[in-house]
Amino acid sequence: MQKKQIALAIGAALAMSAAYAKDSGWDGPDSVVTMYGKVYPEIVEPSGSGATDAGTTVATITNGKPTGENSIVKRTEMQSNNSRIGWRGYERLGRDLRAIWQLETVFHVDSNDSAFAQRNSFVGLASRYWGDIKLGRMDTPFKTYGDDISFLGVGSGNFVSTSNVLRKTGFGTNSASSFHLRRTNIVEYDSPTWAGFHGALQYSTNEADTSGNNSRHPHVWSGAIAWAGGPIELSLAHEIHWDLFGGSKNVPVSAMSNANDQAVRSKDKATQGMVQLHWGPHTFEVDLIRKEYNENASLAGRFSSYKNTAWQVEWDTRWNNQW
């Protein structure tokens, strides 16, 4: 199905300090609290055409049952995807050590259903020389170290974002297959910058372990490293999902799924590389992502494995403050 969507987007960035003070580095104030946010009100008009005719043979992994109906209803909508407001700060514990925290919440300007503190929120320690340790709920390094340009800074949750193409399976809608998610119950280490290099390593668990001979331990490891020098920026990231069943939870019929078979385990992984070039007011970016979904199914007709490679080329330019 082909989709056509027109959006009028207005982006506004807030960078207000609650104490009217800014963090001026390690030699700054002993304590700072900052309020920040981004607002993306949009007027959107979706429309669709070219739906596959009923009875047409398609890939069996997508269920093979097109109805021929166009499910996209043409209408005018207001959206506020990815709008957020937050507070972050630090308290000096010593000359080279700080306690750090952040609390970030969804901010829907078009409705009254904003959910409190569902975005990146954490507490931790920051060292001038050794980096940061954080505990909480955060985006993974895989998500933050690639697909860097984005449109108006929107990385997901919007039709202008590319995450559903780059970082999910080519079928199904369940988020278990996504390598572009905010994880809960995380421990993350962020390194300082050495000779242009910096990186991050994160562990998270779903806290949904099972017991017995075929116990499951759903958890995620995500890591990335980046280098910047002159006009060039490079990054490489890798992420592994254990027992999240990104393949089985996206198959079209339950008979193909291993999710409820305790004898089956899953290991999904993805690797991404990014190259970015800055040239005057222009930034060019290339992203390449390889995803693999594997389950040790023993029954015929069950999901076993799936591989997908996705790429994109981006160009961003800022001619002046208005354009």
Side-chain angles (χ1 to χ4, degrees), residues 88-320:
R88 62 167 66 102
Y90 72 80
E91 181 76 25
R92 190 187 299 274
L93 302 179
R95 181 175 179 179
D96 301 318
L97 185 66
R98 292 174 175 173
I100 57 176
W101 61 273
Q102 177 174 296
L103 190 155
E104 187 174 288
T105 192
V106 174
F107 180 38
H108 291 160
V109 296
D110 60 327
S111 62
N112 62 354
D113 61 348
S114 296
F116 184 71
Q118 285 194 339
R119 295 183 60 89
N120 292 345
S121 302
F122 61 84
V123 295
L125 294 173
S127 166
R128 183 201 295 254
Y129 302 109
W130 300 104
D132 304 344
I133 292 288
K134 301 172 183 175
L135 306 176
R137 175 176 58 258
M138 289 183 61
D139 292 335
T140 65
F142 190 96
K143 178 178 179 180
T144 57
Y145 275 66
D147 192 11
D148 185 52
I149 292 179
S150 68
F151 181 74
L152 290 179
V154 178
S156 58
N158 191 294
F159 80 89
V160 299
S161 61
T162 57
S163 58
N164 283 346
V165 174
L166 288 177
R167 292 171 169 171
K168 292 186 70 175
T169 56
F171 60 95
T173 59
N174 191 288
S175 63
S177 71
S178 178
F179 289 89
H180 192 84
L181 291 183
R182 181 178 301 108
R183 296 290 173 186
T184 58
N185 309 307
I186 70 100
V187 180
E188 178 169 311
Y189 169 71
D190 296 315
S191 78
T193 300
W194 294 304
F197 287 93
H198 63 95
L201 180 64
Q202 182 187 106
Y203 170 83
S204 65
T205 173
N206 286 10
E207 296 184 346
D209 296 27
T210 61
S211 59
N213 295 331
N214 298 310
S215 61
R216 290 178 175 177
H217 176 39
H219 63 287
V220 172
W221 281 97
S222 183
I225 187 170
W227 175 83
I232 303 294
E233 293 187 33
L234 307 173
S235 72
L236 183 66
H238 189 66
E239 187 166 303
I240 306 176
H241 299 175
W242 275 273
D243 293 338
L244 299 192
F245 291 89
S248 276
K249 292 183 179 180
N250 280 279
V251 294
V253 291
S254 59
M256 299 173 64
S257 175
N258 300 298
N260 295 321
D261 186 344
Q262 292 298 311
V264 180
R265 306 290 300 275
S266 75
K267 181 180 180 181
D268 308 330
K269 57 185 179 180
T271 303
Q272 74 175 3
M274 183 194 76
V275 178
Q276 199 172 94
L277 170 66
H278 302 276
W279 181 37
H282 310 287
T283 301
F284 301 93
E285 180 179 315
V286 178
D287 295 277
L288 179 65
I289 298 180
R290 173 70 168 178
K291 304 178 289 293
E292 298 182 19
Y293 302 84
N294 294 283
E295 300 173 17
N296 63 328
S298 58
L299 297 179
R302 294 279 186 88
F303 178 89
S304 177
S305 64
Y306 174 79
K307 297 179 181 180
N308 175 279
T309 300
W311 59 273
Q312 72 173 1
V313 178
E314 297 174 280
W315 166 49
D316 177 85
T317 187
R318 306 296 173 97
W319 284 290
N320 52 46

Side-chain angles (χ1 to χ4, degrees), residues 27-58:
D27 298 321
D30 289 341
S31 180
V32 168
V33 175
T34 301
M35 178 181 176
Y36 66 95
K38 287 187 176 182
V39 182
Y40 297 102
E42 298 177 336
I43 297 175
V44 180
E45 184 175 306
S47 64
S49 64
T52 303
D53 293 333
T56 303
T57 301
V58 295

